[in-house]
Amino acid sequence: MSTAHSPDTLLLEPGKTMPNSRLPVVIYRAVLTATVDRDGDFQRLFDANGWRGIWRNGVYDYDHYHSNAHEVLGVERGSADLQLGGAGGRQVHIEAGDVVVLPAGTGHRRIDRSSDFVVIGAYPPGQEHYDLCRERSPEAELRISKLALPKSDPVMGINGPLLELWR
């Protein structure tokens, strides 16, 4: 089991419809401990570590990826099962307090969720205007290959493990 200092990683092979990434998905477990009111905690954490374009919602129930942005998802409330990597990928259970960092190109969709499931999402600076892709394309894969890596870890800032894991 991961901690904020030692996250889990998941490397996904390219699929028929999802390009995925040469970079691993990074999963931090229990970043925020249970509190009565967690509202705003992930927003403040991501903002403090330089991630922008913060939103609050859920995860789409269809496979998609972003070719022009890396994405962080912080589970504010509830739990969900996500399919990462498209049809041939892996199912991952996430719950309140967990954080998932998706490199550009990583297919993701929600399989199931609790009724109170809420996610906070964000992007590295300059990547806030993300696209939404549902099929592989040479153009999308070219954008992914040219995309800059983040300068900070959304959970632990400039000294966080994401920077080393994505070198």
Side-chain angles (χ1 to χ4, degrees):
M1 180 161 202
S2 73
T3 66
H5 297 285
S6 178
D8 293 331
T9 59
L10 180 60
L11 195 56
L12 301 163
E13 294 293 322
K16 287 184 179 181
T17 59
M18 301 291 117
N20 295 316
S21 178
R22 64 175 178 76
L23 304 171
V25 172
V26 177
I27 304 171
Y28 296 93
R29 301 290 182 181
V31 169
L32 298 179
T33 56
T35 60
V36 174
D37 185 5
R38 193 179 277 120
D39 286 353
D41 289 349
F42 277 122
Q43 290 99 315
R44 286 186 289 279
L45 178 65
F46 297 157
D47 186 61
N49 289 317
W51 286 58
R52 303 291 180 250
I54 297 172
W55 53 267
R56 183 177 195 269
N57 203 339
V59 176
Y60 293 126
D61 64 355
Y62 54 84
D63 285 323
H64 66 285
Y65 66 93
H66 309 295
S67 71
N68 63 351
H70 305 293
E71 182 175 41
V72 62
L73 304 173
V75 184
E76 183 176 77
R77 291 196 178 126
S79 63
D81 293 319
L82 302 181
Q83 178 74 21
L84 302 179
R90 299 265 306 272
Q91 185 172 324
V92 174
H93 180 77
I94 56 175
E95 55 192 43
D98 292 349
V99 172
V100 179
V101 189
L102 301 168
T106 301
H108 53 290
R109 73 176 167 96
R110 175 182 42 80
I111 298 170
D112 195 15
R113 65 174 174 84
S114 62
S115 62
D116 60 342
F117 179 62
V118 176
V119 165
I120 306 303
Y123 308 90
Q127 298 178 16
E128 302 94 329
H129 302 288
Y130 58 90
D131 60 8
L132 194 143
C133 305
R134 299 199 54 192
E135 296 286 332
R136 288 180 75 168
S137 75
E139 298 82 11
E141 292 184 46
L142 181 61
R143 285 190 297 274
I144 293 165
S145 72
K146 293 182 175 186
L147 190 63
L149 294 177
K151 294 187 183 340
S152 69
D153 182 308
V155 174
M156 299 189 68
I158 60 171
N159 295 315
L162 179 74
L163 304 181
E164 183 67 27
L165 292 168
W166 281 12
R167 280 179 72 176

